[in-house]
Amino acid sequence: MDRGWGFLIGLLGAVWLLTSGHEEQQPPETAAQRCFCQVSGYLDDCTCDVETIDRFNNYRLFPRLQKLLESDYFRYYKVNLKRPCPFWNDISQCGRRDCAVKPCQSDEVPDGIKSASYKYSEEANNLIEECEQAERLGAVDESLSEETQKAVLQWTKHDDSSDNFCEADDIQSPDAEYVDLLLNPERYTGYKGPDAWKIWNVIYEENCFKPQAIKRPLNPLASGQGKSEENTFYSWLEGLCVEKRAFYRLISGLHASINVHLSARYLLQETWLEKKWGHNITEFQQRFDGILTEGEGPRRLKNLYFLYLIELRALSKVLPFFERPDFQLFTGNKIQDEENKMLLLEILHEIKSFPLHFDENSFFAGDKKEAHKLKEDFRLHFRNISRIMDCVGCFKCRLWGKLQTQGLGTALKILFSEKLIANMPESGPSYEFHLTRQEIVSLFNAFGRISTSVKELENFRNLLQSIH
């Protein structure tokens, strides 16, 4: 009997607790929830969800992609870091050691890479191997068949055509140098403040499809950004057509990806013997925490996933170009070149199998005249952004900024060249659609950076959960 009364009293007490308003007291959000609670489920303008991307990238794609990018063909990138800024003269150069880029010595780069800018056919590659001096670049062109020479001329003309989304470096310039990307990794360099934010302000304020009346502080650490201003900003974004909205989200996704890299490879400790790089949780929270960024941080992370889907779709579309028997990842090491091409095709077939690809058919699907103008505006805006990268004061940031914008520009070029890719011959030179080695290296390395960001988000999520 006493036990029955005890049970009844306990039950009444529980009822009182439930009806007295205590159910409204929810536990405070954890640090992980504040960054990631909104980064789940379906993405805007897409039929894909974040969880599917995480599983596909982190467990099926990321390890193989990293192995490919460590190969000689993809680790050496030729870039001109001395091009003047075309927009303003007052560039403050970063004086920190971590901002510096160490270019390769001539004998460090495989001869096949130095000699083969356009040479993908077996005929051209064999002729390169026979050259007595790798420096005699012109000799290769003189030895090519008439058909291949014609293709090279077409490719050169096409590279300068209106189909390109980037203003690429002149790799024949004396100022262009090879850089080993593995020895010059993207990480935090200390380049920040007004000079760094000037770059992103120009990109967002002048090159995104945004009414000039809409202004906001773009620095995620800036204070005073109220909810009303935040809602105003995203109200105009939601009112844009899908193409203009996608353009902003691509740039925001690229920005977010770069910030993830900087937070994941942060200088944590420096002594006279060594430097220790690693995950800076505080830095990550300042850039992506939902409270600290007043709701914008999680949106940035979702835009990163959107960028991932766009570049993933481009890689799935370009598979026929790399499947052609004439294409080689030529470095001069025949065995490694064949193995790397097999790995490349394995990766592309894996990408092709992704179940929820972005549907680009909704892009520029309206009135032909209006769609053509919109596409041209889209291309010019992005081309302008590629030029802004020459204004970055930190050379290492400039290197990776130029590479990633060229990679995204190449992905856009692929998406808008679907018919040209479909009409490529099965063998022999392709006159209509062509990718230079620079475009190939930037395309895969840029996607490798985004793939790394998605993987790092899992690492940060686990680190933030371990705090509480």
Side-chain angles (χ1 to χ4, degrees), residues 335-447:
I335 295 176
Q336 288 187 7
D337 291 344
E338 291 175 355
E339 290 177 350
N340 287 329
K341 182 176 179 180
M342 288 179 60
L343 177 58
L344 172 71
L345 293 179
E346 285 178 11
I347 291 171
L348 292 177
H349 278 286
E350 186 73 66
I351 290 173
K352 191 80 172 178
S353 72
F354 184 69
L356 296 171
H357 272 295
F358 179 80
D359 182 9
E360 74 282 3
N361 290 325
S362 60
F363 278 13
F364 310 107
D367 176 76
K368 286 187 177 181
K369 184 177 181 180
E370 186 176 324
H372 177 76
K373 181 181 184 305
L374 187 57
K375 178 184 175 182
E376 181 63 9
D377 289 344
F378 200 97
R379 187 187 69 83
L380 291 176
H381 275 294
F382 193 84
R383 193 177 178 92
N384 213 35
I385 290 174
S386 72
R387 300 175 68 207
I388 293 173
M389 291 301 137
D390 286 316
C391 302
V392 177
C394 166
F395 283 115
K396 187 167 289 182
C397 305
R398 185 183 298 192
L399 163 66
W400 286 100
K402 287 166 75 74
L403 181 145
Q404 290 177 83
T405 51
Q406 185 179 21
L408 177 54
T410 303
L412 295 173
K413 170 182 172 179
I414 292 167
L415 289 177
F416 293 122
S417 302
E418 184 175 9
K419 292 182 180 179
L420 299 180
I421 295 173
N423 294 329
M424 285 190 308
E426 293 184 1
S427 61
S430 171
Y431 295 101
E432 297 298 328
F433 180 80
H434 164 66
L435 293 179
T436 67
R437 180 182 175 276
Q438 288 291 104
E439 289 175 314
I440 295 169
V441 172
S442 64
L443 173 68
F444 280 90
N445 272 285
F447 182 68

